[in-house]
Amino acid sequence: MQDKKDNVPGALRTFFSRRFNLNLGKANEEEVVNSISRNSVFVGGPLWTLIFAIIIASVGLNVNSTAVIIGAMLISPLMGPIMGIGLGIGTNDFELVKRGGRNLLIATFISIVTSTIYFYITPLHEAQSELLARTTPSIWDVFIAFTGGLAGIIAATRRDKSNVIPGVAIATALMPPLCTAGYGLAMGNWPFFFGALYLFFINSLFICISTYLIVRFLKFDKKHFEDPGVEKKVSRYILISVLVTVIPSIYLAYGIVQKSIFENNAQTFIREQFNFTTTQVINRNLRYAKGEKEIDLLLIGDELSQTKVNSIKGNLKKYKLEGTTLRIRQGLNARQEIDFSQIKASIMEDVFKKENQSRTAVKVDKLAQPLPDIRSELIVLFPEIKSYSLANTVISRLDTQSKDTLTLFSAGVSKMPSASNQVKIRSWLKSRLKVDSLETIYSSK
């Protein structure tokens, strides 16, 4: 009996070592190196594939189509040079590092030029939610890039190829930031340009790091030179390149983590402290910079008293937001100078995000549900609406005995909304009223 107990740890070690052994199914090392080296070069077909993929991704961002963006990422060859750099560092192959870096710079330049030309000539210049999501990196982008890179290089070292690398290309999202940078350049929006480039750099860097780690874990042979002096020089160059790249990345990653923590705490603070029935937050701006943290809120509805505002500010410490400036703007009836286009863009972005989320519909008696007062919000968001009526009603079908309920919104307008504005109004109403069935009727005043 004792012998069996003694064998249990050994059996567990054998089980896990076999299950998680990366050397099982590993391809020939020379084949892996040759394959990654070939994919690191953008000449002829791969270069044209990149250009067409960039155009497709730019169109997807322009029209806010997730499916088109995913399709572009599937055909993108951008992973090649990034993995080539990581492989070159891991195998002491400075030529491969230089080749991968050179081709990555070429690919980046061509991608930005292509997307800039597209966004310059397209008639649609509004920044949609898919594009806005690629302007600043978060801690999740770092995590996805790192784990995606691990999955990608493991798949590249297997004998049996799978669909992992296309999946990694989608998850790490290398192309959309480059297209967003092109949009920023075409529109003269430098925060978009530099923010998107920053996101692309972070994604590329952590894919490269994960590639290096797996290459060293699998003990790929390092390149040796006949002249020891040359070998030392190459090793020194690679070490300097790694330090120049990794040390700033650690600082940048730390900043991203701190910013993500601040934004998460700020969102929780806003959600819990501004939960009022007659006052609503319609726009929020979170600013995080070195030595400066600010929460800027725009409210509509009943104004909060100064006593209430001071009480809310006193709760910042509870949410680990010490040193954060809380700026509250309210009193739309006082005709403050407010950027209404910014408010509309912010709320429309939230609406489209909610529309894309999968939700479980719960059937309830809609006729018993009270409908909120949306007058103040309609004045801000859709000034062309001059009057409205809102009611839950019963629809009786003549071909069957069944009945259904829907929410009916009837509006008198100064001018008939365009088709796109009607879609926006309908989307906002469904999100604001939390209804699935909605009918809208417009009449000119």
Side-chain angles (χ1 to χ4, degrees):
M1 181 67 71
Q2 186 65 33
D3 291 342
K4 290 183 178 180
K5 289 183 179 179
D6 292 340
N7 289 334
V8 169
L12 287 175
R13 281 196 301 271
T14 302
F15 173 80
F16 283 107
S17 64
R18 185 179 182 280
R19 286 286 173 180
F20 294 95
N21 188 355
L22 284 179
N23 287 300
L24 293 176
K26 177 184 170 185
N28 180 272
E29 188 173 310
E30 185 178 353
E31 293 178 3
V32 174
V33 173
N34 290 336
S35 174
I36 294 178
S37 298
R38 285 195 305 271
N39 292 331
S40 298
V41 180
F42 283 104
V43 177
L47 184 59
W48 282 107
T49 301
L50 173 68
I51 292 172
F52 295 141
I54 283 290
I55 294 173
I56 295 170
S58 298
V59 173
L61 290 169
N62 202 192
V63 301
N64 215 45
S65 173
T66 304
V68 173
I69 297 170
I70 290 174
M73 289 187 288
L74 277 171
I75 61 178
S76 165
L78 275 172
M79 285 285 291
I82 299 173
M83 294 176 68
I85 296 171
L87 175 64
I89 294 172
T91 58
N92 211 27
D93 189 344
F94 193 55
E95 286 302 317
L96 182 55
V97 173
K98 288 195 297 183
R99 189 189 314 143
R102 182 170 59 250
N103 281 278
L104 182 59
L105 287 176
I106 292 172
T108 301
F109 176 77
I110 290 175
S111 298
I112 293 176
V113 169
T114 303
S115 58
T116 300
I117 293 172
Y118 169 81
F119 282 111
Y120 186 79
I121 63 177
T122 180
L124 305 176
H125 297 301
E126 185 177 353
Q128 301 290 348
S129 59
E130 285 286 352
L131 193 145
L132 291 169
R134 269 77 184 197
T135 55
T136 52
S138 69
I139 184 57
W140 306 116
D141 294 307
V142 173
F143 183 72
I144 291 170
F146 182 69
T147 53
L150 292 174
I153 186 60
I154 289 173
T157 59
R158 301 300 94 186
R159 284 195 302 268
D160 299 325
K161 304 303 179 184
S162 63
N163 60 350
V164 172
I165 292 182
V168 172
I170 294 173
T172 52
L174 292 167
M175 296 195 68
L178 291 178
C179 296
T180 303
Y183 172 86
L185 202 58
M187 299 296 107
N189 190 325
W190 296 110
F192 272 33
F193 176 74
F194 289 111
L197 273 186
Y198 181 25
L199 175 57
F200 176 73
F201 170 75
I202 287 292
N203 284 349
S204 302
L205 177 64
F206 280 90
I207 292 172
C208 182
I209 291 173
S210 58
T211 300
Y212 166 80
L213 292 176
I214 293 299
V215 166
R216 292 315 319 138
F217 180 81
L218 292 175
K219 298 179 180 178
F220 273 51
D221 291 334
K222 287 191 174 184
K223 188 174 182 179
H224 296 286
F225 300 86
E226 294 182 3
D227 187 346
V230 174
E231 185 168 351
K232 287 183 180 180
K233 187 182 294 185
V234 168
S235 298
R236 192 183 306 121
Y237 287 155
I238 290 178
L239 178 61
I240 292 172
S241 302
V242 170
L243 291 177
V244 168
T245 306
V246 171
I247 290 177
S249 73
I250 294 173
Y251 173 76
L252 296 174
Y254 175 77
I256 292 173
V257 171
Q258 294 300 110
K259 181 181 178 183
S260 297
I261 293 173
F262 164 73
E263 291 179 347
N264 183 65
N265 292 340
Q267 295 289 3
T268 304
F269 169 78
I270 296 169
R271 184 173 62 253
E272 295 181 358
Q273 294 295 317
F274 290 87
N275 186 19
F276 303 106
T277 55
T278 57
T279 305
Q280 184 179 357
V281 177
I282 61 169
N283 191 42
R284 64 193 72 188
N285 286 314
L286 307 178
R287 299 186 184 93
Y288 181 89
K290 189 175 181 180
E292 180 185 358
K293 294 183 289 185
E294 182 181 82
I295 300 174
D296 186 354
L297 303 177
L298 176 62
L299 312 182
I300 61 171
D302 294 345
E303 291 191 34
L304 303 180
S305 65
Q306 190 58 46
T307 303
K308 185 62 178 176
V309 170
N310 293 336
S311 174
I312 292 174
K313 289 182 177 180
N315 292 328
L316 284 168
K317 291 183 179 179
K318 296 180 182 179
Y319 297 86
K320 300 180 180 179
L321 294 170
E322 298 90 341
T324 300
T325 301
L326 177 61
R327 185 184 178 199
I328 300 176
R329 293 180 289 164
Q330 55 181 338
L332 292 181
N333 294 333
R335 294 186 179 180
Q336 298 176 345
E337 292 185 3
I338 296 169
D339 186 354
F340 290 106
S341 63
Q342 182 185 17
I343 299 171
K344 291 173 70 174
S346 176
I347 294 182
M348 286 302 104
E349 180 187 350
D350 290 340
V351 169
F352 285 123
K353 285 182 179 178
K354 290 178 182 177
E355 289 260 312
N356 290 331
Q357 295 174 349
S358 59
R359 293 174 292 184
T360 304
V362 179
K363 290 186 177 181
V364 295
D365 184 4
K366 294 181 182 178
L367 294 175
Q369 288 183 338
L371 293 170
D373 183 1
I374 58 174
R375 180 179 180 276
S376 299
E377 295 156 88
L378 288 174
I379 292 173
V380 173
L381 297 173
F382 309 108
E384 66 269 26
I385 296 178
K386 300 304 178 185
S387 63
Y388 82 98
S389 64
L390 189 63
N392 289 323
T393 186
V394 177
I395 302 297
S396 299
R397 301 186 181 279
L398 299 180
D399 54 343
T400 66
Q401 296 296 320
S402 64
K403 295 183 178 181
D404 199 1
T405 59
L406 62 76
T407 302
L408 180 63
F409 175 79
S410 177
V413 295
S414 57
K415 63 176 182 178
M416 193 61 64
S418 64
S420 61
N421 275 347
Q422 289 187 32
V423 171
K424 290 182 180 179
I425 294 171
R426 181 180 176 84
S427 298
W428 181 82
L429 285 169
K430 291 180 71 174
S431 175
R432 178 67 177 87
L433 302 175
K434 296 182 174 61
V435 296
D436 295 319
S437 301
L438 178 72
E439 185 72 28
T440 55
I441 302 173
Y442 301 99
S443 58
S444 300
K445 290 291 185 181

